[in-house]
Amino acid sequence: MAEDVVAQVLSRLDLAKTQLYHFKAILIAGMGFFTDAYDLFTISLITKLLGRIYYYDPASTTTPGSLPENVSAAVNGVALCGTLAGHLFFGYLGDKLGRKKSYGVTLKLMILCSLGSGLSFGHNAKALITTLCFFRFWLGFGVGGDYPLSATIMSEYANKKTRGSFIAAVFAMQGFGNLAGGIVAIIISAGFKGKFDAPSYEDDPAGSTVPQADFVWRIILMFGAAPALLTYYWRMKMPETARYTALIAHNPKKAAFDMSMVLQVDIDEEEVSDGAAAAADRSNHFGLFSKEFVRRHGVHLLGTTTTWFFLDIAFYSQILFQKDIFSAIGWLPEAGTMNAMEELQCIAKAQTLITLCGTIPGYWFAVAFIDIVGRVPIQLMGFGMMVVFMLGLAIPYDHWKTEGNQIGFVVMYGFAFFFANFGPNSTTFIAPAEIFPARLRSTCHGISAAAGKAGAIVGAFGFLYASQDKDPAKRDEGYPAGIGVRNSLFWLAACCVSGFCFTFLLPEAKGRSLEDMSGESAGEQSP
């Protein structure tokens, strides 16, 4: 009887109609990802401003100050290191303590560290950057926890018919976070420019960066706390997922009660007993490091980790260093012809344009088609099209640098982002939340996401150096010779080819229950 009750709870979840609470859950979890994207990617908008403020060289009359290579690598990459650690730590806690208990901690970290980043202090540039990196690491730690918890919570709330769209919709809020970062930077820089106008760097190197510019980057970073604050209360009101309560906490009666409180489904409480023994039998007791896990899910974990790793090398290389790529092809004006606020505005406008035309549409195409086409076909298509467009950028690279052709480069670049998001950037987030058993779901998602962030770190640090030109006159001051943007794009295309190949290790989850996918359905084996 108890086993039947657990089955009844899970079946009702899988067959529940799409209801208002589903959309509420998407919004609550999605605002975490809005904050994640804002916090992670706004740093790429302000690094040139930080260089102008804290690394100004009076001896240079043509080139504004820029962050030294080690400082730039640290500022861009330290949050990713924190994110990797957060994926693993909170992924484990999500299975050990419950999804809900860990959920609020991640949001608190993001709020406090967003504010702390903007309040970074120090008696010199080195001390200030050290403080900033400290807060950025712990900010990333909180962001990292949001990935496995949000994905697992949404997958366990959703019905099997629209589960992929719901998880993708949570992740798609990243696009709006990117957009908000660009818009906030444009508004704040325009306001400060209007109030404290300054000459270009060529006309007045010292006067081109007004003292008030130090407030600009701080305000931009601190604004990331706002959306997290707005959703904290509602996140704390969410009940534990019914699957966790029934399959891991072994309390199907509580699971049925929680489910009936938020979804319009009813289960006769008279039929519900504690069911602990049956639930324990159904959950199968093999551990993450057991031979049984390797036999059932080892190939799946290899597939989710490798595809996410190769994707993030390419994805984060592109998004963190958009400004450098656009400068290299001549789409942005020379830094010396602008003051600090004008340069920030130009960078923010470029990122906003790419986000509007490529990033956001790609995310929502994934939401629309993920449960129609399937996860694996969309991931294969996305990786394949990323290869096509990256080669389209790399092979005729000199053509794109010619005056009048830069817009074509930006269009191709936007399509690469479109198919990253209508492709592996969405599906690599979804897959680990559907394949693994309930008591290891959050942990395995955290491991998969951590592999992705390892790729992001490779991309963030590697692309910074690799994209430098061999010609000393064309590369950033203080950097060693690299292989150039063109050859770097070839390497990113190769990463996408690798991701395409490893995608064949993944099973298709479209229309299947989580228990069917994980092998928890009445003795069935996983695919």
Side-chain angles (χ1 to χ4, degrees):
M1 173 65 75
E3 184 175 356
D4 291 339
V5 170
V6 175
Q8 186 182 12
V9 170
L10 300 180
S11 176
R12 291 292 180 89
L13 281 171
D14 281 332
L15 300 177
K17 294 180 180 179
T18 300
Q19 301 167 26
L20 178 62
Y21 189 79
H22 286 125
F23 295 103
K24 184 178 177 181
I26 289 171
L27 185 61
I28 294 169
M31 286 307 290
F33 276 89
F34 179 101
T35 306
D36 296 350
Y38 184 97
D39 289 336
L40 284 182
F41 299 131
T42 47
I43 197 69
S44 67
L45 297 173
I46 65 169
T47 50
K48 285 188 179 291
L49 179 59
L50 290 173
R52 281 181 180 251
I53 296 172
Y54 297 109
Y55 292 89
Y56 166 65
D57 181 4
S60 176
T61 58
T62 58
T63 306
S66 61
L67 298 180
E69 55 186 284
N70 60 326
V71 174
S72 181
V75 168
N76 280 292
V78 69
L80 299 178
C81 297
T83 305
L84 189 155
H87 289 325
L88 296 172
F89 181 76
F90 285 104
Y92 171 76
L93 284 189
D95 287 332
K96 193 71 175 177
L97 302 180
R99 291 42 161 148
K100 180 186 175 181
K101 287 182 180 178
S102 307
Y103 212 23
V105 179
T106 62
L107 216 55
K108 287 179 183 176
L109 274 172
M110 286 189 278
I111 293 168
L112 293 174
C113 293
S114 291
L115 297 174
S117 295
L119 297 174
S120 297
F121 56 89
H123 62 280
N124 57 30
K126 182 178 180 181
L128 183 138
I129 294 296
T130 300
T131 307
L132 176 61
C133 287
F134 171 83
F135 284 114
R136 293 285 299 172
F137 176 87
W138 290 107
L139 173 66
F141 193 72
V143 167
D146 227 40
Y147 276 63
L149 296 175
S150 290
T152 301
I153 285 170
M154 201 65 243
S155 72
E156 293 181 346
Y157 268 125
N159 60 60
K160 65 182 180 181
K161 184 178 179 181
T162 58
R163 185 179 61 240
S165 294
F166 287 170
I167 304 172
V170 169
F171 195 61
M173 294 298 287
Q174 279 198 336
F176 293 117
N178 274 339
L179 180 63
I183 291 173
V184 168
I186 291 170
I187 292 172
I188 293 174
S189 60
F192 273 78
K193 181 178 181 295
K195 184 71 173 177
F196 310 103
D197 199 10
S200 69
Y201 188 87
E202 290 177 341
D203 294 334
D204 184 357
S208 66
T209 304
V210 297
Q212 292 80 5
D214 191 50
F215 293 107
V216 173
W217 68 268
R218 296 176 184 274
I219 294 170
I220 292 172
L221 292 183
M222 291 173 72
F223 190 83
L229 277 167
L230 292 173
T231 54
Y232 179 78
Y233 171 79
W234 296 108
R235 186 173 280 199
M236 292 299 92
K237 297 290 287 184
M238 294 179 75
E240 183 58 84
T241 69
R243 279 187 163 88
Y244 181 89
T245 305
L247 293 173
I248 302 175
H250 311 316
N251 192 344
K253 186 172 184 177
K254 175 97 168 41
F257 175 77
D258 287 344
M259 189 172 65
S260 65
M261 292 294 290
V262 296
L263 297 175
Q264 295 174 9
V265 293
D266 293 313
I267 297 177
D268 187 353
E269 290 195 19
E270 303 226 346
E271 296 180 10
V272 181
S273 63
D274 289 339
D281 288 342
R282 289 171 57 80
S283 65
N284 302 313
H285 283 294
F286 61 85
L288 180 65
F289 301 105
S290 66
K291 291 182 180 180
E292 186 65 16
F293 177 85
V294 173
R295 184 181 71 81
R296 294 192 183 194
H297 297 291
V299 170
H300 302 154
L301 188 59
L302 178 63
T304 57
T305 52
T306 51
T307 53
W308 210 335
F309 174 79
F310 286 116
L311 165 73
D312 274 5
I313 292 177
F315 186 76
Y316 277 81
S317 294
Q318 291 180 84
I319 203 164
L320 286 176
F321 299 102
Q322 282 182 21
K323 60 188 185 302
D324 303 298
I325 295 172
F326 292 153
S327 296
I329 65 165
W331 195 49
L332 295 180
E334 290 290 333
T337 65
M338 299 180 284
N339 62 39
M341 293 301 98
E342 289 170 339
E343 184 176 41
L344 175 58
Q345 269 191 304
C346 283
I347 294 169
K349 287 177 181 177
Q351 178 166 308
T352 301
L353 179 64
I354 292 294
T355 301
L356 279 172
C357 298
T359 304
I360 290 177
Y363 278 126
W364 290 98
F365 264 69
V367 173
F369 291 102
I370 193 79
D371 286 313
I372 298 172
V373 178
R375 288 70 160 149
V376 172
I378 286 179
Q379 185 159 309
L380 290 170
M381 176 202 65
F383 271 129
M385 295 304 293
M386 287 176 72
V387 172
V388 169
F389 284 106
M390 284 186 186
L391 292 179
L393 294 172
I395 294 172
Y397 183 71
D398 291 333
H399 166 78
W400 299 123
K401 293 175 66 176
T402 306
E403 186 68 32
N405 295 331
Q406 292 97 333
I407 296 299
F409 182 97
V410 174
V411 171
M412 296 277 283
Y413 192 75
F415 272 115
F417 267 107
F418 174 83
F419 283 105
N421 292 305
F422 181 32
N425 195 40
S426 295
T427 54
T428 53
F429 176 78
I430 296 169
E434 298 183 309
I435 295 173
F436 302 104
R439 92 193 163 285
L440 297 174
R441 186 169 292 134
S442 180
T443 300
C444 289
H445 196 287
I447 292 170
S448 303
K453 282 304 172 292
I457 292 167
V458 171
F461 288 94
F463 192 84
L464 178 65
Y465 291 92
S467 61
Q468 298 298 321
D469 202 284
K470 294 179 181 179
D471 183 353
K474 295 181 180 179
R475 64 175 179 258
D476 295 335
E477 186 177 351
Y479 285 80
I483 60 176
V485 172
R486 180 174 186 265
N487 289 327
S488 296
L489 288 170
F490 280 119
W491 277 104
L492 297 185
C495 289
C496 293
V497 171
S498 300
F500 181 94
C501 295
F502 279 102
T503 297
F504 290 102
L505 299 179
L506 301 175
E508 179 54 64
K510 183 183 75 170
R512 299 174 64 184
S513 72
L514 294 178
E515 289 66 45
D516 181 28
M517 288 298 300
S518 64
E520 292 171 293
S521 294
E524 292 180 12
Q525 298 294 306
S526 60

Coordinates of all heavy atoms in Angstrom, one line a residue, residues 109-150:
L109 N 24.0 34.9 0.2 CA 25.4 35.1 -0.2 C 25.4 36.1 -1.4 O 26.3 37.0 -1.4 CB 26.0 33.8 -0.6 CG 26.7 33.0 0.5 CD1 27.1 31.6 0.0 CD2 27.9 33.7 1.1
M110 N 24.5 35.9 -2.3 CA 24.5 36.8 -3.5 C 24.2 38.3 -3.1 O 24.8 39.2 -3.6 CB 23.5 36.3 -4.6 CG 24.0 35.1 -5.3 SD 22.9 34.6 -6.7 CE 21.6 33.8 -5.9
I111 N 23.2 38.4 -2.2 CA 22.9 39.8 -1.8 C 24.1 40.5 -1.1 O 24.5 41.6 -1.4 CB 21.6 39.7 -0.8 CG1 20.4 39.3 -1.6 CG2 21.4 41.1 -0.2 CD1 19.2 38.9 -0.7
L112 N 24.6 39.8 -0.1 CA 25.7 40.3 0.7 C 26.9 40.6 -0.1 O 27.6 41.7 0.1 CB 26.0 39.4 1.9 CG 24.9 39.3 3.0 CD1 25.3 38.2 4.0 CD2 24.7 40.6 3.7
C113 N 27.3 39.7 -1.0 CA 28.5 39.9 -1.7 C 28.4 40.8 -2.9 O 29.4 41.4 -3.4 CB 29.0 38.5 -2.2 SG 29.6 37.5 -0.8
S114 N 27.2 41.0 -3.4 CA 26.9 42.0 -4.4 C 27.2 43.4 -3.8 O 27.8 44.3 -4.4 CB 25.5 42.0 -5.0 OG 25.3 40.8 -5.8
L115 N 26.6 43.6 -2.6 CA 26.8 44.8 -1.9 C 28.3 45.0 -1.5 O 28.9 46.1 -1.6 CB 26.0 44.9 -0.6 CG 24.4 44.9 -0.9 CD1 23.7 44.8 0.4 CD2 24.0 46.1 -1.7
G116 N 28.9 43.9 -1.0 CA 30.3 44.0 -0.6 C 31.2 44.3 -1.8 O 32.2 45.0 -1.6
S117 N 30.9 43.8 -3.0 CA 31.7 44.1 -4.2 C 31.8 45.5 -4.5 O 32.8 46.1 -4.8 CB 31.2 43.3 -5.4 OG 31.3 41.9 -5.2
G118 N 30.6 46.2 -4.4 CA 30.5 47.6 -4.6 C 31.2 48.4 -3.5 O 31.5 49.6 -3.8
L119 N 31.3 47.9 -2.4 CA 31.9 48.6 -1.2 C 33.4 48.2 -1.0 O 34.0 48.5 0.0 CB 31.1 48.3 0.0 CG 29.7 48.8 0.1 CD1 29.0 48.3 1.3 CD2 29.6 50.3 -0.1
S120 N 34.0 47.6 -2.0 CA 35.4 47.2 -1.9 C 36.3 48.4 -1.6 O 36.1 49.5 -2.1 CB 35.9 46.6 -3.3 OG 35.1 45.4 -3.5
F121 N 37.3 48.1 -0.8 CA 38.1 49.2 -0.3 C 39.6 48.8 -0.3 O 39.9 47.6 -0.5 CB 37.7 49.6 1.2 CG 37.8 48.4 2.1 CD1 38.9 48.1 2.8 CD2 36.6 47.6 2.3 CE1 39.0 47.0 3.7 CE2 36.7 46.5 3.2 CZ 37.9 46.2 3.8
G122 N 40.4 49.8 -0.1 CA 41.9 49.5 0.0 C 42.6 50.8 -0.2 O 42.2 51.8 -0.8
H123 N 43.8 50.9 0.5 CA 44.6 52.1 0.4 C 45.4 52.3 -0.9 O 45.9 53.3 -1.1 CB 45.6 52.1 1.6 CG 46.6 51.0 1.6 ND1 46.3 49.7 2.0 CD2 47.9 51.0 1.2 CE1 47.4 49.0 1.9 NE2 48.3 49.7 1.4
N124 N 45.4 51.2 -1.7 CA 46.0 51.3 -3.0 C 45.3 50.4 -4.0 O 44.4 49.6 -3.6 CB 47.5 51.0 -3.0 CG 47.8 49.6 -2.4 OD1 47.0 48.7 -2.5 ND2 49.0 49.5 -1.8
A125 N 45.7 50.4 -5.2 CA 45.0 49.6 -6.3 C 45.0 48.1 -5.9 O 44.0 47.4 -6.0 CB 45.6 49.8 -7.6
K126 N 46.2 47.6 -5.5 CA 46.3 46.2 -5.2 C 45.4 45.7 -4.1 O 44.7 44.7 -4.2 CB 47.8 45.9 -4.8 CG 48.0 44.4 -4.6 CD 49.5 44.1 -4.3 CE 49.8 42.7 -4.0 NZ 51.2 42.4 -3.7
A127 N 45.3 46.6 -3.0 CA 44.5 46.2 -1.9 C 43.0 46.2 -2.3 O 42.2 45.4 -1.9 CB 44.7 47.2 -0.7
L128 N 42.6 47.2 -3.1 CA 41.2 47.3 -3.5 C 40.8 46.1 -4.4 O 39.8 45.5 -4.2 CB 41.0 48.6 -4.3 CG 39.5 48.8 -4.7 CD1 39.1 50.3 -4.4 CD2 39.3 48.5 -6.1
I129 N 41.7 45.8 -5.3 CA 41.4 44.6 -6.2 C 41.3 43.3 -5.4 O 40.5 42.4 -5.7 CB 42.5 44.5 -7.3 CG1 42.4 45.7 -8.3 CG2 42.3 43.2 -8.1 CD1 41.0 45.8 -9.0
T130 N 42.2 43.2 -4.4 CA 42.2 42.0 -3.5 C 40.8 41.9 -2.8 O 40.2 40.8 -2.7 CB 43.3 42.1 -2.5 OG1 44.6 42.1 -3.2 CG2 43.3 40.9 -1.6
T131 N 40.3 43.1 -2.3 CA 39.0 43.1 -1.6 C 37.9 42.7 -2.6 O 37.0 41.9 -2.2 CB 38.8 44.5 -1.0 OG1 39.8 44.9 -0.2 CG2 37.5 44.5 -0.2
L132 N 38.0 43.3 -3.8 CA 37.0 43.0 -4.8 C 37.0 41.5 -5.1 O 35.9 40.9 -5.2 CB 37.2 43.8 -6.0 CG 36.3 43.6 -7.3 CD1 34.9 43.9 -6.9 CD2 36.8 44.4 -8.5
C133 N 38.1 40.9 -5.3 CA 38.2 39.5 -5.6 C 37.7 38.6 -4.5 O 37.1 37.6 -4.7 CB 39.7 39.1 -6.0 SG 40.2 39.8 -7.6
F134 N 37.9 39.1 -3.3 CA 37.4 38.3 -2.1 C 35.8 38.2 -2.2 O 35.3 37.1 -2.1 CB 37.8 39.0 -0.8 CG 37.1 38.4 0.4 CD1 37.6 37.3 1.0 CD2 36.0 39.0 1.0 CE1 37.0 36.7 2.2 CE2 35.4 38.5 2.1 CZ 35.9 37.3 2.7
F135 N 35.2 39.4 -2.4 CA 33.7 39.4 -2.5 C 33.2 38.7 -3.7 O 32.2 38.0 -3.7 CB 33.2 40.8 -2.4 CG 33.3 41.4 -1.0 CD1 34.1 42.5 -0.7 CD2 32.5 40.9 0.0 CE1 34.1 43.0 0.5 CE2 32.5 41.4 1.3 CZ 33.3 42.5 1.6
R136 N 34.0 38.8 -4.8 CA 33.6 38.2 -6.1 C 33.6 36.6 -5.9 O 32.8 35.9 -6.5 CB 34.5 38.6 -7.2 CG 34.3 40.1 -7.6 CD 33.1 40.3 -8.4 NE 33.0 39.6 -9.7 CZ 31.9 39.6 -10.4 NH1 30.8 40.2 -10.1 NH2 31.9 38.9 -11.6
F137 N 34.6 36.1 -5.2 CA 34.7 34.7 -5.0 C 33.5 34.2 -4.3 O 32.8 33.2 -4.7 CB 36.0 34.3 -4.2 CG 36.1 32.8 -3.9 CD1 36.6 31.9 -4.8 CD2 35.5 32.3 -2.7 CE1 36.7 30.6 -4.5 CE2 35.6 31.0 -2.4 CZ 36.2 30.1 -3.3
W138 N 33.1 34.8 -3.2 CA 32.0 34.3 -2.4 C 30.6 34.6 -3.1 O 29.7 33.9 -2.9 CB 32.0 34.9 -1.0 CG 33.1 34.4 -0.2 CD1 34.3 34.9 0.2 CD2 33.2 33.0 0.3 NE1 35.1 34.1 0.9 CE2 34.5 32.9 1.0 CE3 32.4 31.9 0.3 CZ2 34.9 31.7 1.6 CZ3 32.7 30.7 0.9 CH2 34.0 30.6 1.5
L139 N 30.6 35.7 -3.9 CA 29.5 35.9 -4.7 C 29.3 34.7 -5.7 O 28.2 34.2 -5.8 CB 29.6 37.2 -5.5 CG 28.6 37.5 -6.6 CD1 27.2 37.8 -6.0 CD2 29.0 38.7 -7.4
G140 N 30.4 34.3 -6.3 CA 30.4 33.1 -7.2 C 30.0 31.9 -6.5 O 29.2 31.0 -7.0
F141 N 30.4 31.8 -5.2 CA 30.0 30.6 -4.4 C 28.5 30.5 -4.3 O 27.9 29.4 -4.4 CB 30.7 30.7 -3.0 CG 30.6 29.4 -2.2 CD1 31.4 28.4 -2.5 CD2 29.8 29.3 -1.1 CE1 31.4 27.2 -1.8 CE2 29.8 28.2 -0.3 CZ 30.6 27.1 -0.7
G142 N 27.8 31.6 -4.0 CA 26.4 31.6 -3.9 C 25.7 31.4 -5.2 O 24.7 30.6 -5.3
V143 N 26.3 32.0 -6.3 CA 25.7 31.8 -7.6 C 25.8 30.3 -8.0 O 24.9 29.7 -8.6 CB 26.5 32.6 -8.7 CG1 26.2 32.2 -10.1 CG2 26.2 34.1 -8.5
G144 N 27.0 29.7 -7.6 CA 27.2 28.2 -7.9 C 26.1 27.3 -7.3 O 25.7 26.4 -7.9
G145 N 25.7 27.7 -6.1 CA 24.7 26.9 -5.4 C 23.3 27.0 -6.1 O 22.5 26.0 -6.0
D146 N 23.1 28.1 -6.7 CA 21.7 28.3 -7.4 C 21.5 27.3 -8.5 O 20.4 26.9 -8.8 CB 21.6 29.7 -7.9 CG 20.3 30.3 -7.5 OD1 19.9 30.1 -6.3 OD2 19.7 31.0 -8.3
Y147 N 22.6 26.9 -9.2 CA 22.4 26.0 -10.4 C 21.8 24.7 -10.0 O 20.7 24.3 -10.5 CB 23.8 25.8 -11.1 CG 24.2 26.9 -12.0 CD1 24.4 28.2 -11.6 CD2 24.4 26.6 -13.4 CE1 24.8 29.2 -12.5 CE2 24.8 27.6 -14.3 CZ 25.0 28.9 -13.8 OH 25.3 29.9 -14.7
P148 N 22.5 23.9 -9.2 CA 21.9 22.5 -8.9 C 20.5 22.6 -8.2 O 19.6 21.8 -8.4 CB 22.9 21.8 -8.1 CG 23.7 22.9 -7.5 CD 23.7 24.0 -8.5
L149 N 20.4 23.6 -7.3 CA 19.2 23.7 -6.5 C 18.0 24.1 -7.3 O 16.9 23.5 -7.3 CB 19.4 24.6 -5.3 CG 20.4 24.2 -4.3 CD1 20.6 25.3 -3.2 CD2 20.0 22.9 -3.6
S150 N 18.2 25.1 -8.1 CA 17.0 25.6 -9.0 C 16.6 24.6 -10.0 O 15.5 24.3 -10.3 CB 17.4 26.9 -9.7 OG 17.5 28.0 -8.7

